[in-house]
Amino acid sequence: MDALEIISNIEKVIPYFQPIFSADEHKIIGYEVFGRMNMGSDGVESLGPFFGDDEIPDEYKMEVDERVTRLALEKFLAEKQEGYIFLNRNARLLMLDHGESFLDLLLEYEKKGLDLSRTVIELSEKTFVGDFDQLVHLLLYYKTYGIKIAIDNIGGNSGQLDRLSQYSPDILKVDLYQLRNDAGNKVYKDILYSLSMLARKIGASLLFENIEINYQLQFAWLNGGRYYQGFYLKHPSDSFFEPDLLKEKLKEKCQDYIRYEKKHLEAGYEFADVLHKEISQKLMTLKKQSLEFDDLLFEVARHFTDKCFRAYICDENGFQVTSNVVKSDQVWTIEPRYKGKNWSWRPYFLENIIRMRIDKKGLLSDIYSDIDSGESIRTYSYPFGNGLYLFIDLSYEFLFEEDGLLF
């Protein structure tokens, strides 16, 4: 639709509202506002392309944006909505007058009853090329009024992680669109996992958007999503919904996810327990033979040849005291160049050493990508004795065949 046609018929511009659901109460906690054009008998048309077109003058976008915002706030107040209202803003347009006109608009509606602490500015700064420090300063100033800040469009862009924390955002919006057609995208999942860790450290809530299938909702739940949004739950509408609209459905889904995850965790613990007993028995036999470390390790690896592809032993400070014993094309070889290397820099390495030392039990890692092969693997760590620890890398082929070990 032509920009001039939209401006000429601006009275046909209306707000639509997409509900956002919570993980803890399974109810609607707020709405994101979208711009739509009422086409009469032809229905409504999204104004997303209008706002996303760089060729359209800024003043056109700001005029339409203000109308959508005013109508949305008026309806929100008139119907006494108690949740959050999410208002989209382009960082560049917001900074044209240093955010003054938008703040004035919100303060105008505060006098009419708008609770600014229930107002969320949803900011897309991915293409912002202005003074970043000034933008941060503005957002921090907004927060003094109780206004919440949500950073949008961050799913899959790992380069933004350093910038995000400077906003002190209340909410990080994560786009799950890529998981719609590529559920096995390991790199993308790793980036989203990093975002969940960042959100936890800076005290922000995760809102997963573009949820269109059950798998995406389950992924959002599993990765610390507090809020959910998408067509799988509810399409945008020109009206509001009952807060408990999907309460029973989401509760049921949550129980399914819990059962699934518990089964996965139980499988891991049961496997680790079986492996601990099997390793203990094997080592009991091998230690009687007074073998050198590398020879002993070689025999352990061969015993578990159907499960693992690499084994080595480190001391409690992470220094490797043996060679690597590695399987390639079903043949085991010894690689002495790894002896003496230090692995204490690896995430959770020292924490796991302490846990094994105290609990006297082995540990099964989560799924991660092997540096050398790039394959998804898990590592089993075992307290060898005398301040030494055995590490056995389990192959992807084995994990794939075992129910519950590859997730």
Side-chain angles (χ1 to χ4, degrees), residues 87 89-91 93-107 116-117 119-123 134-149 167 170:
L87 303 171
R89 280 298 176 273
N90 178 286
L93 296 181
L94 188 68
M95 290 300 295
L96 289 179
D97 66 350
H98 302 285
E100 291 182 9
S101 59
F102 181 61
L103 180 59
D104 289 342
L105 187 152
L106 293 181
L107 293 175
L116 293 187
S117 69
T119 304
V120 183
I121 298 177
E122 192 168 312
L123 187 79
Q134 285 191 16
L135 177 61
V136 172
H137 179 76
L138 173 63
L139 296 180
L140 294 177
Y141 178 61
Y142 279 171
K143 287 171 70 73
T144 65
Y145 286 89
I147 299 168
K148 304 290 190 295
I149 304 297
Y167 289 103
D170 301 282

Side-chain angles (χ1 to χ4, degrees), residues 77-346:
L77 292 175
E79 300 194 18
K80 296 181 171 56
Q81 291 295 310
E82 297 181 351
Y84 293 97
I85 184 163
F86 287 67
L87 303 171
N88 287 285
R89 280 298 176 273
N90 178 286
R92 186 183 63 79
L93 296 181
L94 188 68
M95 290 300 295
L96 289 179
D97 66 350
H98 302 285
E100 291 182 9
S101 59
F102 181 61
L103 180 59
D104 289 342
L105 187 152
L106 293 181
L107 293 175
E108 175 188 335
Y109 279 89
E110 183 185 33
K111 294 174 183 178
K112 298 178 182 181
L114 178 65
D115 183 351
L116 293 187
S117 69
R118 309 297 290 180
T119 304
V120 183
I121 298 177
E122 192 168 312
L123 187 79
S124 178
E125 55 81 56
K126 189 159 57 173
T127 57
F128 181 64
V129 294
D131 190 321
F132 180 71
D133 290 335
Q134 285 191 16
L135 177 61
V136 172
H137 179 76
L138 173 63
L139 296 180
L140 294 177
Y141 178 61
Y142 279 171
K143 287 171 70 73
T144 65
Y145 286 89
I147 299 168
K148 304 290 190 295
I149 304 297
I151 305 300
D152 193 13
N153 294 325
I154 59 176
N157 190 346
S158 59
Q160 290 177 275
L161 295 182
D162 291 338
R163 298 177 59 160
L164 289 176
S165 60
Q166 297 183 48
Y167 289 103
S168 297
D170 301 282
I171 296 171
L172 298 182
K173 290 200 70 174
V174 181
D175 190 343
L176 290 184
Y177 176 77
Q178 283 186 238
L179 289 188
R180 177 68 173 83
N181 299 313
D182 189 5
N185 191 326
K186 184 69 170 63
V187 173
Y188 184 70
K189 289 179 179 178
D190 287 344
I191 292 173
L192 297 187
Y193 177 77
S194 299
L195 286 172
S196 70
M197 293 297 100
L198 174 67
R200 181 183 177 189
K201 288 183 179 296
I202 66 177
S205 298
L206 282 178
L207 193 167
F208 286 89
E209 62 179 340
N210 274 328
I211 295 175
E212 298 182 0
I213 56 176
N214 180 62
Y215 172 76
Q216 291 170 310
L217 182 60
Q218 182 177 7
F219 181 89
W221 175 85
L222 185 61
N223 285 272
R226 185 179 183 185
Y227 304 124
Y228 313 130
Q229 178 184 11
F231 293 169
Y232 181 71
L233 302 170
K234 208 68 183 173
H235 285 254
S237 169
D238 61 353
S239 58
F240 300 114
F241 302 97
E242 285 296 319
D244 292 338
L245 174 72
L246 297 182
K247 191 176 185 68
E248 290 307 312
K249 175 184 176 180
L250 289 175
K251 183 178 179 180
E252 184 179 320
K253 290 289 183 184
C254 182
Q255 289 174 335
D256 288 342
Y257 303 155
I258 290 171
R259 283 192 291 269
Y260 184 84
E261 182 63 11
K262 286 171 69 175
K263 180 182 178 181
H264 161 56
L265 293 172
E266 287 167 358
Y269 280 111
E270 290 171 3
F271 172 75
D273 188 54
V274 169
L275 201 55
H276 182 94
K277 293 175 181 177
E278 194 172 350
I279 291 175
S280 297
Q281 293 174 353
K282 184 63 179 177
L283 286 178
M284 193 179 301
T285 301
L286 292 174
K287 286 180 178 179
K288 294 178 182 178
Q289 301 178 25
S290 300
L291 298 172
E292 295 292 332
F293 273 152
D294 279 6
D295 295 330
L296 182 148
L297 188 63
F298 190 86
E299 294 302 318
V300 169
R302 285 208 310 165
H303 180 78
F304 294 102
T305 192
D306 62 323
K307 298 179 177 66
C308 72
F309 69 96
R310 181 169 55 216
Y312 55 96
I313 296 175
C314 294
D315 65 20
E316 62 180 16
N317 293 322
F319 287 96
Q320 190 164 326
V321 300
T322 66
S323 305
N324 271 3
V325 177
V326 179
K327 181 176 67 175
S328 179
D329 296 327
Q330 301 304 314
V331 177
W332 287 97
T333 58
I334 293 177
E335 298 181 338
R337 70 179 185 276
Y338 288 93
K339 188 178 294 186
K341 288 184 178 290
N342 184 269
W343 306 111
S344 62
W345 54 269
R346 285 179 168 172

